[in-house]
mmCIF file of all heavy atoms in Angstrom:
data_model
loop_
_atom_site.group_PDB
_atom_site.id
_atom_site.type_symbol
_atom_site.label_atom_id
_atom_site.label_comp_id
_atom_site.label_asym_id
_atom_site.label_seq_id
_atom_site.Cartn_x
_atom_site.Cartn_y
_atom_site.Cartn_z
ATOM 1 N N SER Q 848 16.210 -4.474 -7.633
ATOM 2 C CA SER Q 848 15.540 -5.739 -7.816
ATOM 3 C C SER Q 848 16.406 -6.508 -8.826
ATOM 4 O O SER Q 848 16.636 -6.062 -9.947
ATOM 5 C CB SER Q 848 14.149 -5.480 -8.395
ATOM 6 O OG SER Q 848 13.503 -6.773 -8.565
ATOM 7 N N ASN Q 849 16.909 -7.638 -8.340
ATOM 8 C CA ASN Q 849 17.897 -8.484 -9.100
ATOM 9 C C ASN Q 849 17.318 -9.831 -9.546
ATOM 10 O O ASN Q 849 16.961 -10.660 -8.577
ATOM 11 C CB ASN Q 849 19.208 -8.623 -8.381
ATOM 12 C CG ASN Q 849 20.260 -9.441 -9.106
ATOM 13 O OD1 ASN Q 849 20.105 -9.612 -10.418
ATOM 14 N ND2 ASN Q 849 21.167 -9.923 -8.475
ATOM 15 N N LEU Q 850 16.966 -10.033 -10.737
ATOM 16 C CA LEU Q 850 16.509 -11.381 -11.221
ATOM 17 C C LEU Q 850 17.600 -12.054 -12.160
ATOM 18 O O LEU Q 850 17.293 -13.025 -12.748
ATOM 19 C CB LEU Q 850 15.223 -11.161 -12.034
ATOM 20 C CG LEU Q 850 13.998 -10.730 -11.222
ATOM 21 C CD1 LEU Q 850 12.803 -10.651 -12.187
ATOM 22 C CD2 LEU Q 850 13.695 -11.727 -10.044
ATOM 23 N N GLY Q 851 18.743 -11.522 -12.134
ATOM 24 C CA GLY Q 851 19.792 -12.073 -12.877
ATOM 25 C C GLY Q 851 20.222 -13.501 -12.592
ATOM 26 O O GLY Q 851 20.505 -14.339 -13.489
ATOM 27 N N MET Q 852 20.056 -13.884 -11.304
ATOM 28 C CA MET Q 852 20.329 -15.251 -10.919
ATOM 29 C C MET Q 852 19.434 -16.257 -11.415
ATOM 30 O O MET Q 852 19.684 -17.421 -11.457
ATOM 31 C CB MET Q 852 20.444 -15.307 -9.397
ATOM 32 C CG MET Q 852 19.030 -15.177 -8.593
ATOM 33 S SD MET Q 852 18.430 -13.516 -8.571
ATOM 34 C CE MET Q 852 19.573 -12.769 -7.378
ATOM 35 N N PHE Q 853 18.229 -15.776 -11.985
ATOM 36 C CA PHE Q 853 17.239 -16.686 -12.618
ATOM 37 C C PHE Q 853 17.455 -16.801 -14.066
ATOM 38 O O PHE Q 853 16.621 -17.350 -14.836
ATOM 39 C CB PHE Q 853 15.901 -16.269 -12.194
ATOM 40 C CG PHE Q 853 15.602 -16.277 -10.747
ATOM 41 C CD1 PHE Q 853 15.415 -15.165 -10.000
ATOM 42 C CD2 PHE Q 853 15.527 -17.482 -10.062
ATOM 43 C CE1 PHE Q 853 15.178 -15.111 -8.664
ATOM 44 C CE2 PHE Q 853 15.120 -17.495 -8.756
ATOM 45 C CZ PHE Q 853 15.036 -16.317 -8.027
ATOM 46 N N GLY Q 854 18.368 -16.082 -14.689
ATOM 47 C CA GLY Q 854 18.559 -16.031 -16.032
ATOM 48 C C GLY Q 854 17.869 -15.050 -16.818
ATOM 49 O O GLY Q 854 17.889 -14.992 -18.072
ATOM 50 N N VAL Q 855 17.089 -14.195 -16.113
ATOM 51 C CA VAL Q 855 16.290 -13.109 -16.795
ATOM 52 C C VAL Q 855 17.263 -12.125 -17.311
ATOM 53 O O VAL Q 855 18.088 -11.507 -16.571
ATOM 54 C CB VAL Q 855 15.353 -12.485 -15.816
ATOM 55 C CG1 VAL Q 855 14.537 -11.334 -16.345
ATOM 56 C CG2 VAL Q 855 14.388 -13.556 -15.201
ATOM 57 N N ASP Q 856 17.144 -11.770 -18.725
ATOM 58 C CA ASP Q 856 18.050 -10.834 -19.188
ATOM 59 C C ASP Q 856 17.580 -9.330 -19.059
ATOM 60 O O ASP Q 856 18.433 -8.395 -19.031
ATOM 61 C CB ASP Q 856 18.394 -11.098 -20.693
ATOM 62 C CG ASP Q 856 17.076 -11.119 -21.517
ATOM 63 O OD1 ASP Q 856 15.963 -11.012 -20.944
ATOM 64 O OD2 ASP Q 856 17.139 -11.141 -22.756
ATOM 65 N N ARG Q 857 16.291 -9.131 -19.007
ATOM 66 C CA ARG Q 857 15.800 -7.791 -18.817
ATOM 67 C C ARG Q 857 14.457 -7.797 -18.286
ATOM 68 O O ARG Q 857 13.631 -8.722 -18.621
ATOM 69 C CB ARG Q 857 15.960 -7.019 -20.129
ATOM 70 C CG ARG Q 857 14.853 -7.460 -21.171
ATOM 71 C CD ARG Q 857 15.067 -6.620 -22.458
ATOM 72 N NE ARG Q 857 16.402 -7.023 -23.088
ATOM 73 C CZ ARG Q 857 16.816 -6.374 -24.165
ATOM 74 N NH1 ARG Q 857 16.148 -5.430 -24.672
ATOM 75 N NH2 ARG Q 857 18.000 -6.777 -24.728
ATOM 76 N N PHE Q 858 14.097 -6.832 -17.517
ATOM 77 C CA PHE Q 858 12.658 -6.671 -17.051
ATOM 78 C C PHE Q 858 12.549 -5.177 -16.479
ATOM 79 O O PHE Q 858 13.530 -4.508 -16.253
ATOM 80 C CB PHE Q 858 12.303 -7.676 -15.984
ATOM 81 C CG PHE Q 858 13.064 -7.474 -14.657
ATOM 82 C CD1 PHE Q 858 12.429 -6.881 -13.564
ATOM 83 C CD2 PHE Q 858 14.363 -7.888 -14.522
ATOM 84 C CE1 PHE Q 858 13.054 -6.676 -12.374
ATOM 85 C CE2 PHE Q 858 15.017 -7.732 -13.314
ATOM 86 C CZ PHE Q 858 14.425 -7.131 -12.193
ATOM 87 N N ASP Q 859 11.300 -4.756 -16.317
ATOM 88 C CA ASP Q 859 10.974 -3.528 -15.757
ATOM 89 C C ASP Q 859 10.407 -3.690 -14.430
ATOM 90 O O ASP Q 859 9.588 -4.529 -14.147
ATOM 91 C CB ASP Q 859 9.904 -2.742 -16.565
ATOM 92 C CG ASP Q 859 10.539 -2.235 -17.974
ATOM 93 O OD1 ASP Q 859 11.746 -1.952 -17.997
ATOM 94 O OD2 ASP Q 859 9.781 -2.132 -18.999
ATOM 95 N N ALA Q 860 10.778 -2.868 -13.452
ATOM 96 C CA ALA Q 860 10.275 -2.997 -12.062
ATOM 97 C C ALA Q 860 9.328 -1.812 -11.848
ATOM 98 O O ALA Q 860 9.438 -0.724 -12.485
ATOM 99 C CB ALA Q 860 11.471 -2.858 -11.143
ATOM 100 N N ILE Q 861 8.344 -2.072 -10.942
ATOM 101 C CA ILE Q 861 7.379 -1.022 -10.616
ATOM 102 C C ILE Q 861 7.894 -0.086 -9.473
ATOM 103 O O ILE Q 861 8.414 -0.607 -8.501
ATOM 104 C CB ILE Q 861 6.095 -1.662 -10.210
ATOM 105 C CG1 ILE Q 861 5.534 -2.516 -11.363
ATOM 106 C CG2 ILE Q 861 5.016 -0.629 -9.803
ATOM 107 C CD1 ILE Q 861 4.218 -3.246 -11.053
ATOM 108 N N LEU Q 862 7.795 1.123 -9.695
ATOM 109 C CA LEU Q 862 8.281 2.134 -8.730
ATOM 110 C C LEU Q 862 7.563 2.012 -7.455
ATOM 111 O O LEU Q 862 6.380 2.197 -7.309
ATOM 112 C CB LEU Q 862 8.221 3.547 -9.260
ATOM 113 C CG LEU Q 862 8.774 4.624 -8.392
ATOM 114 C CD1 LEU Q 862 10.242 4.543 -8.403
ATOM 115 C CD2 LEU Q 862 8.311 5.979 -8.974
ATOM 116 N N PRO Q 863 8.336 1.813 -6.269
ATOM 117 C CA PRO Q 863 7.577 1.754 -4.886
ATOM 118 C C PRO Q 863 7.209 3.254 -4.602
ATOM 119 O O PRO Q 863 7.825 4.175 -4.839
ATOM 120 C CB PRO Q 863 8.696 1.311 -4.014
ATOM 121 C CG PRO Q 863 9.760 0.748 -4.858
ATOM 122 C CD PRO Q 863 9.684 1.466 -6.154
ATOM 123 N N PRO Q 864 6.003 3.345 -3.890
ATOM 124 C CA PRO Q 864 5.598 4.623 -3.363
ATOM 125 C C PRO Q 864 6.600 5.320 -2.455
ATOM 126 O O PRO Q 864 7.203 4.617 -1.577
ATOM 127 C CB PRO Q 864 4.273 4.346 -2.666
ATOM 128 C CG PRO Q 864 3.813 2.986 -3.205
ATOM 129 C CD PRO Q 864 5.048 2.222 -3.576
ATOM 130 N N GLY Q 865 6.736 6.555 -2.668
ATOM 131 C CA GLY Q 865 7.708 7.344 -1.792
ATOM 132 C C GLY Q 865 9.177 7.261 -2.108
ATOM 133 O O GLY Q 865 10.039 7.724 -1.340
ATOM 134 N N GLN Q 866 9.477 6.663 -3.221
ATOM 135 C CA GLN Q 866 10.845 6.640 -3.700
ATOM 136 C C GLN Q 866 11.048 7.242 -5.062
ATOM 137 O O GLN Q 866 10.048 7.249 -5.829
ATOM 138 C CB GLN Q 866 11.380 5.210 -3.724
ATOM 139 C CG GLN Q 866 11.440 4.554 -2.308
ATOM 140 C CD GLN Q 866 12.140 3.248 -2.376
ATOM 141 O OE1 GLN Q 866 12.824 2.838 -3.257
ATOM 142 N NE2 GLN Q 866 12.000 2.409 -1.313
#
Side-chain angles (χ1 to χ4, degrees):
S848 181
N849 180 17
L850 293 180
M852 69 284 289
F853 299 109
V855 176
D856 59 351
R857 68 184 70 189
F858 68 101
D859 289 329
I861 299 178
L862 183 67
Q866 295 185 17

